[in-house]
């Protein structure tokens, strides 16, 4: 079966960069995703990367994909208090989706 | 579009009672998923449908749980009888299936508390 590892907690100071890491087992996915869950809400797609790409940048977000090591990371530049949330890595597995356990990001003033 | 709509947002019930959670997916989406989220186990896939047909229900905890999708715009998740360990947030999500990037759109969840 699929197995995913994520650090459960991360604390950073406002203005610093945050790096959230994810390792996965399934290498056949077409897309890999980062979802964000704010308190009391459902998950929302933050960004995604096509599996044949190494990097994708979207404003403050940078996604890095190392397929050889099955490692996915999300970097948030100039982290703000509004970035405090739980971040899930995910990928498609056939018609299904597999989610990591989530990393709770706390942004300290 | 209104997004994925779930009801109720909150439900408190007593052990042994029947619970029915409802979901309206985004119009045009042909895949629907039910997830359960708890602090201990994180986000768990319970069941998903494609074109109203259940594809994988291996995540359904036990026979007390059942899910239906009678048409493309409505799905229910039923727990009968409910137990305190069923307390969780239940999310419904929909997607276009194999089309596009496969993004999942989540509802706001139904928070269930079983006393």
């Amino acid at each position: 079966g699929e197995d995913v590892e994520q650090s459960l907690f991360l604390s950073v100071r406002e203005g610093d960069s945050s790096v959230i890491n994810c390792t996965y087992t399934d290498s056949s996915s077409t897309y890999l995703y980062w979802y964000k869950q704010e308190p009391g809400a459902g998950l929302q797609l933050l960004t995604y990367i096509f599996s044949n790409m190494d990097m994708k940048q979207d404003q403050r977000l940078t996604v890095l994909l190392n397929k050889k090591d099955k490692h996915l990371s999300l970097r948030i530049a100039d982290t703000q208090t509004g970035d405090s949330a739980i971040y899930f890595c995910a990928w498609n597995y056939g018609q299904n989706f597999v989610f990591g356990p989530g990393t709770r990001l706390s942004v300290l003033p | 579009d209104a997004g994925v709509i779930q009801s109720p947002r909150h439900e408190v019930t007593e052990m042994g009672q029947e619970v029915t959670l409802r979901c309206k997916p985004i119009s045009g989406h042909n895949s629907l998923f039910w997830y359960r989220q708890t602090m201990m186990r994180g986000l768990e896939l319970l069941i998903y449908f494609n074109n109203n047909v259940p594809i994988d229900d291996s995540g359904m905890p036990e026979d007390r749980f059942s899910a239906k999708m009678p048409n493309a715009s409505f799905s229910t998740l039923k727990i009968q009888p409910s137990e305190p360990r069923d307390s969780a947030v239940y999310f419904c999500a929909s997607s276009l299936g194999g089309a596009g990037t496969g993004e999942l759109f989540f509802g706001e969840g139904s928070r269930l508390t079983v006393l």
Side-chain angles (χ1 to χ4, degrees), chain B residues 26-99:
Chain B
I26 293 174
S27 177
H29 283 190
N30 59 7
S31 292
L32 183 141
F33 303 75
W34 282 101
Y35 287 90
R36 177 172 69 177
Q37 186 178 38
T38 61
M39 288 291 290
M40 291 296 293
R41 294 187 298 270
L43 196 65
E44 301 173 279
L45 175 67
L46 300 177
I47 186 171
Y48 78 93
F49 296 82
N50 193 48
N51 293 323
N52 312 339
V53 176
I55 302 299
D56 183 357
D57 64 354
S58 59
M60 296 285 264
E62 48 199 90
D63 291 344
R64 297 185 298 107
F65 285 68
S66 62
K68 294 182 179 178
M69 192 164 186
N71 57 62
S73 59
F74 184 66
S75 177
T76 59
L77 178 68
K78 188 173 292 187
I79 309 171
Q80 167 63 21
S82 58
E83 297 182 3
R85 60 192 168 121
D86 302 329
S87 298
V89 181
Y90 290 81
F91 288 103
C92 176
S94 70
S95 77
L96 282 169

Side-chain angles (χ1 to χ4, degrees), chain A residues 31 33 35 37 40-43 45 48 88 95-97 99 104, chain B residues 9 33 35 37 43 45 48 50 91 100-104 106-107:
Chain A
Y31 294 95
Y33 311 87
Y35 279 80
Q37 184 181 28
L43 282 69
L45 182 65
Y48 66 91
F88 295 87
Q95 294 174 314
N96 193 2
F97 292 80
F99 286 86
R104 184 178 296 272
Chain B
R9 289 296 313 277
F33 303 75
Y35 287 90
Q37 186 178 38
L43 196 65
L45 175 67
Y48 78 93
N50 193 48
F91 288 103
T101 60
E103 178 183 354
L104 265 184
F106 282 78

Side-chain angles (χ1 to χ4, degrees), chain B residues 14-35:
Chain B
E14 291 187 342
M15 183 173 64
Q17 296 299 304
E18 178 179 294
V19 173
T20 299
L21 308 178
R22 298 172 177 81
C23 175
K24 182 181 187 316
I26 293 174
S27 177
H29 283 190
N30 59 7
S31 292
L32 183 141
F33 303 75
W34 282 101
Y35 287 90

Side-chain angles (χ1 to χ4, degrees), chain A residues 17-31:
Chain A
S17 292
S18 307
V19 179
I20 302 171
N21 295 302
C22 170
T23 57
Y24 60 95
T25 55
D26 180 25
S27 59
S28 63
S29 304
T30 306
Y31 294 95

